[in-house]
């Protein structure tokens, strides 16, 4: 069973990190914008919808990953997955408030980029659809 939890720990590390990279960069590819918008909406819902019951900034992926790590005997986990990543990769103990601020500002930026670019794409499609035949 220990090997199963180690595999799950590694899988969560890779998949959760990949999801975060997609959330920050998915707006850049026109064909991915709908998926990106859906992902962004789910994260906002998780942070503030589910967060109203489970704590602001709640992430199911983090919750599940922390449960796997607790089963492995690793109990001293921060509330934020990003803080865990930054601390693990750098060896530093970055203040949680600083990490949360950078995450919020970065995610707001990615959200705004996705909205603006999706709106621009929609306007272009609409303009092409109503253009008279030449």
């Amino acid at each position: 069973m220990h090997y199963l939890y180690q595999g799950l720990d590694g899988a969560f590390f890779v998949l959760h990190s990949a999801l975060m990279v997609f959330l920050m960069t998915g707006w850049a590819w026109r064909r991915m914008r709908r998926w990106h918008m859906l992902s962004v909406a789910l994260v906002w819902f998780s942070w503030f919808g589910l967060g109203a019951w489970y704590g602001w900034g709640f992430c199911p992926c983090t919750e599940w990953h922390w449960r796997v790590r607790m089963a492995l005997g690793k109990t001293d986990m921060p509330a934020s997955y990003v803080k865990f990543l930054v601390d693990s990769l750098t060896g530093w103990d970055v203040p949680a408030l600083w990490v949360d601020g950078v995450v919020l500002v970065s995610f707001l930026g990615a959200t705004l980029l996705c909205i603006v670019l999706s709106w621009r794409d929609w306007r272009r499609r609409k303009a092409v659809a109503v253009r008279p035949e030449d």
Side-chain angles (χ1 to χ4, degrees), residues 12-29 32 35-37 39-40 43 47 61 81-82 85 89 103 106-107 109-111 113-114:
F12 270 115
F13 179 80
V14 170
L15 295 174
H16 200 180
S17 299
L19 175 60
M20 290 182 350
V21 169
F22 177 69
L23 287 165
M24 297 310 299
T25 63
W27 53 266
W29 296 277
M32 297 304 293
W35 290 106
H36 184 256
M37 184 73 77
S39 301
V40 165
V43 169
W47 284 3
C61 291
Y81 183 74
V82 177
L85 281 179
L89 296 174
V103 167
S106 300
F107 194 57
T111 300
L113 280 166
C114 184

Side-chain angles (χ1 to χ4, degrees), residues 16 57 62 66 77-86 96 99-100 103:
H16 200 180
T62 301
W66 280 192
M77 301 303 300
S80 163
Y81 183 74
V82 177
K83 177 169 173 39
F84 165 71
L85 281 179
V86 170
V99 172
D100 292 345
V103 167

Side-chain angles (χ1 to χ4, degrees), residues 22-114:
F22 177 69
L23 287 165
M24 297 310 299
T25 63
W27 53 266
W29 296 277
R30 186 175 349 121
R31 291 182 178 205
M32 297 304 293
R33 287 195 188 125
R34 289 183 184 182
W35 290 106
H36 184 256
M37 184 73 77
L38 175 64
S39 301
V40 165
L42 288 172
V43 169
W44 283 114
F45 172 74
S46 176
W47 284 3
F48 295 103
L50 296 175
W53 286 275
Y54 297 106
W56 302 115
F58 176 77
C59 175
C61 291
T62 301
E63 176 70 22
W64 300 327
H65 193 177
W66 280 192
R67 288 182 186 206
V68 166
R69 291 182 66 82
M70 281 195 287
L72 290 169
K74 300 172 183 178
T75 58
D76 190 24
M77 301 303 300
S80 163
Y81 183 74
V82 177
K83 177 169 173 39
F84 165 71
L85 281 179
V86 170
D87 291 355
S88 296
L89 296 174
T90 65
W92 303 338
D93 183 16
V94 180
L97 190 58
W98 185 84
V99 172
D100 292 345
V102 169
V103 167
L104 182 59
V105 169
S106 300
F107 194 57
L108 274 170
T111 300
L112 289 173
L113 280 166
C114 184

